[in-house]
Structures are given as C-alpha cells and as structure tokens.
Amino acid sequence: MKAYRALLISLSKDECNIDYIKRLISLTNLAYRDYEAWIPDLPKTMQHQLQNFKSYTKSLVFGHTPKRWFTRTWVPLTTLRIYGDDFMKGDRSALVVLEFRNNVIKLRQVCRNEPRYVDELPMPRWVVDRVKEGGDVKFAMIGLKDDKPYLALVAEREVEPYQPSGYILAIDVNSWGHGIAWGLIRDGRIVSYKQEGLNLGRYYGLYDEVVRLGREYGELMRSGLQRTTEGRRLWRRIKAMHARLYAITRDKAYFLASKLVRKALKYRALLVIDDMSEESRKELLEEKLPPGVIKLLMSSLRRFIHQLETLAQWYGVPYEFKRLPSKVCPICYHELTQLPGRIMACENCGFKAPRDMVPMYWAMKKEST
Ligand SMILES: [Zn+2]
C-alpha cells in the first residue's frame, strides 16, 4: 500500500511571480482536460512537465483522498533527489531539486519565467524525517492559496499495516467541545483511558473578542471609514486573531493525532475511530455554543480525523471507522438515559457509565466479534 504525506511551504512573494504561477495553473487545467497547448514564451521544460502530468497525477493527487487545497488544480512537478553520496533519484530534467548534501531545495523556473532563474529554499526538517522513515519525496506542486504562492511536497512510502497484537485503541471524537476521549482496550478491559480537552476558556475569550471587534469594524464600514488607518489596523487585528483561533485548534489536532498514532504503534493496536457524524454537531448545539464556534470546532475535528488517518496510513497502523454511540446501550441496544454529571444509564439492563466512556464499551464489542 502506498501512503502519502504532504507539506506546504510558503514561498516569498518577492521571489515568485504570481501571474506566472496563475498561467501555469491554467495550463495545468488544460493538460488535465487533455488539451495540448504549447505557449511560445514559457520554458519548454516546464511545458514538458505539464504534458507528462497525466502519467503521474494518479500517484500524486487523484489516487488518494485529496486534501482540500488539492481541489484547485495545482501545478504538479516531478523532483530530482540528490543524496549525500551523489546518488541521484528521479527525473534529471525535474524543476524541483532536493539536494540533501547541502540541505537546499532548488526551484528552477518554477517561480519566474526567466531563463535559468533558480529560487533556493532551506530543506525543511520534515523532508529529512520522512526520508529517514523510508519515504521519498517524488513529487511537488506549486500553487496559490489566498493568492499567496506555495510549494507542496508530497512524500510517498510503501507500507504494509501490521497485524494487531490484540490491543484496541478506541478514539471517540464525538465532542471536541469536551476534547476527545481515547481508551486502550485489551481482553474486555479498559487498560487506560483519558479525555484530552481543549482549553476552551481561552478559546471562547478569543472568539468573543473577534466578534466584538467584528462589530466595531461593521460600524466603521457603515460610516465608510474602513479604509482609514484606524479601519485597516482593526481589520489586520481581526485577521490575526482569527488566525490564532484557527491555530489553537489546529495545533491541538496535530498534536493529538501524532500522540495517538504513536500510542497505537507502541502497543501495535488496532485503531478504532468513531465515525464522526451529525452527533458531534448536535452535541455542540446542545451546549448552545455560537454557530461560529461550532463551525470552527467542526472543521478542526475534521482536520484531526484527516491527520489521524494520514498518520495511521503512513506508519502502517491498521485502523477502521466505526460508529461508537454514546447514547445507546452497548449491552442490550436500549436507549440510554442521561443522569446528572454526564452519567449514562440503561433502564433495561442496568448498564451505567460516564457518557464519554460509553463509546469504549462499544469498541470492546469489536474485540469479541
Ligand atoms: Zn442495556
């Protein structure tokens, strides 16, 4: 099985000509639709890359679950890898060259339509780590995100998932608002269990501030003052705070995904991930959170699950998605009643457990089947 991981590197706007990249993006679109267009004033090597694009898109973009930014057509490029001992792998005419001996990435004619133009970037630690894990950065892409130029590196690795040892690591993502809950299960027993929370206090505080500033900005706009120094400053502040809001949940999502995949690896456990559904949204709605917060939490939840899946594939951790309900009795399938303190009880068979533990009992059922 081939596993992929991608890294985005922002390119400098001064080094990269946005209009040039836009032209390459339209050419990629054409190539993708099977049109052959040769543009006289564009580098031939670049155009050859685009014409050959069909033969490697499958392994690059469309062969696996695309990331959101893959949906816009980025310009796919092959790479040449030069290792410390001058051993070379890849396409000699590639425009993206990864030089491991001096730790730089050279972009030839990727950023500007000038003959022999080379942009040099430091080699990200990420690449070195992926190579150490047996991966290979065969492909790269350039594209725009919010009108800013980016280079995406795609590492590929051939990996077979291991045979689970008998441990199950169940992950319940139903309520990001309460964090996520995980349980390590073995022989019908919960060996360890933890709830990993977000620091929601800080989160809400920041969110309220963004809303308040947004209103202030709305006032300025109504008075036609948004282009004043004050208006621009306010806008920049709102944008920065918004970015921070995203960063909090994003960092947490990446941190937790990596921690849990490492845990699964350690025990050679089967990863059972709760099939995130409407229940998460409903639970967040129940808590009467503002729609903006729900939207942010849901999007970071999806990011968390995506990252979990990407890492599990990369490290060969076997995983499956399974509904792990928290409101249905895992013994007799009767609907559970919620008691004070988030305790769930079954009126039919007497089963009782904290709400966030119920999914672990569902995961345990998996063990016996
Ligand atoms: Zn029951």
Side-chain angles (χ1 to χ4, degrees):
M1 194 188 88
K2 280 198 170 90
Y4 298 94
R5 284 179 76 178
L7 174 74
L8 268 188
I9 303 166
S10 84
L11 299 171
S12 135
K13 257 187 167 173
D14 303 329
E15 312 278 341
C16 268
N17 184 312
I18 302 284
D19 290 328
Y20 176 54
I21 293 180
K22 279 186 181 156
R23 288 182 73 192
L24 296 178
I25 286 175
S26 1
L27 271 180
T28 309
N29 263 314
L30 284 176
Y32 180 57
R33 279 159 234 271
D34 253 342
Y35 289 104
E36 209 171 298
W38 293 92
I39 313 294
D41 71 319
L42 286 181
K44 277 277 176 304
T45 39
M46 175 64 87
Q47 300 198 57
H48 276 293
Q49 289 264 320
L50 291 184
Q51 288 311 322
N52 292 333
F53 153 84
K54 273 270 153 113
S55 52
Y56 53 86
T57 43
K58 279 240 159 40
S59 55
L60 181 57
V61 189
F62 305 102
H64 68 296
T65 330
K67 286 204 167 205
R68 236 163 309 151
W69 41 265
F70 281 146
T71 48
R72 258 171 279 144
T73 321
W74 281 40
V75 184
L77 300 163
T78 51
T79 66
L80 173 67
R81 287 87 68 202
I82 305 172
Y83 296 94
D85 41 12
D86 279 344
F87 172 63
M88 279 191 212
K89 251 164 121 182
D91 175 2
R92 298 287 168 114
S93 60
L95 303 176
V96 178
V97 183
L98 281 72
E99 286 184 12
F100 289 95
R101 55 180 172 207
N102 42 5
N103 277 313
V104 289
I105 298 179
K106 286 184 179 160
L107 305 176
R108 302 173 175 156
Q109 290 181 340
V110 170
C111 288
R112 268 174 203 279
N113 185 11
E114 281 168 27
R116 300 185 193 287
Y117 185 82
V118 177
D119 190 18
E120 233 181 75
L121 312 169
M123 177 81 73
R125 177 83 223 157
W126 183 93
V127 174
V128 178
D129 288 345
R130 298 297 81 81
V131 169
K132 272 191 195 148
E133 289 163 353
D136 193 4
V137 182
K138 286 188 181 168
F139 304 105
M141 284 186 275
I142 46 159
L144 299 172
K145 201 180 148 210
D146 303 328
D147 254 353
K148 284 181 205 127
Y150 282 90
L151 174 76
L153 296 175
V154 183
E156 190 182 292
R157 183 190 182 204
E158 192 67 48
V159 60
E160 284 308 318
Y162 56 71
Q163 274 300 325
S165 62
Y167 277 100
I168 291 178
L169 182 62
I171 300 175
D172 174 36
V173 294
N174 252 324
S175 162
W176 190 245
H178 290 270
I180 62 136
W182 59 262
L184 190 66
I185 297 162
R186 169 103 209 210
D187 298 332
R189 225 163 47 82
I190 299 175
V191 181
S192 51
Y193 170 85
K194 199 177 171 194
Q195 246 176 307
E196 312 259 4
L198 278 170
N199 182 352
L200 284 181
R202 186 176 154 222
Y203 195 76
Y204 293 154
L206 207 56
Y207 181 81
D208 287 344
E209 185 71 3
V210 170
V211 170
R212 194 183 62 75
L213 292 177
R215 279 201 205 101
E216 223 174 272
Y217 189 73
E219 297 269 315
L220 282 182
M221 263 174 78
R222 274 188 293 281
S223 343
L225 293 172
Q226 75 271 28
R227 294 204 184 282
T228 56
T229 319
E230 191 196 351
R232 282 174 208 272
R233 194 177 296 146
L234 189 58
W235 180 240
R236 273 202 300 276
R237 226 179 116 201
I238 292 174
K239 271 183 80 172
M241 286 181 74
H242 215 259
R244 217 155 79 218
L245 212 49
Y246 263 105
I248 293 176
T249 47
R250 187 190 53 217
D251 292 353
K252 189 76 182 177
Y254 283 151
F255 171 78
L256 279 181
S258 138
K259 173 180 164 173
L260 290 168
V261 166
R262 267 185 281 127
K263 190 172 280 294
L265 271 173
K266 185 175 161 198
Y267 292 94
R268 297 183 75 77
L270 169 70
L271 206 57
V272 176
I273 307 162
D274 176 43
D275 213 344
M276 205 242 316
S277 64
E278 269 307 295
E279 202 175 311
S280 320
R281 190 185 294 274
K282 275 190 207 133
E283 179 150 342
L284 292 172
L285 277 170
E286 262 173 41
E287 294 180 26
K288 303 196 168 44
L289 298 178
V293 168
I294 293 182
K295 210 175 131 213
L296 274 167
L297 288 177
M298 288 298 287
S299 96
S300 63
L301 197 52
R302 275 188 291 270
R303 195 188 287 275
F304 167 71
I305 290 173
H306 181 85
Q307 183 67 2
L308 202 57
E309 206 179 354
T310 305
L311 290 179
Q313 284 173 0
W314 183 262
Y315 292 108
V317 174
Y319 67 95
E320 51 190 63
F321 286 96
K322 203 179 176 243
R323 275 300 290 122
L324 300 174
S326 55
K327 290 178 186 164
V328 181
C329 176
I331 313 292
C332 71
Y333 303 93
H334 198 270
E335 201 181 322
L336 296 171
T337 325
Q338 181 155 340
L339 307 176
R342 284 173 76 79
I343 298 288
M344 304 303 279
C346 176
E347 286 164 4
N348 189 38
C349 74
F351 171 84
K352 210 179 205 182
R355 176 158 174 167
D356 300 301
M357 279 280 228
V358 179
M360 303 305 140
Y361 289 93
W362 276 96
M364 228 180 265
K365 283 175 80 76
K366 164 88 197 130
E367 218 183 3
S368 46
T369 52

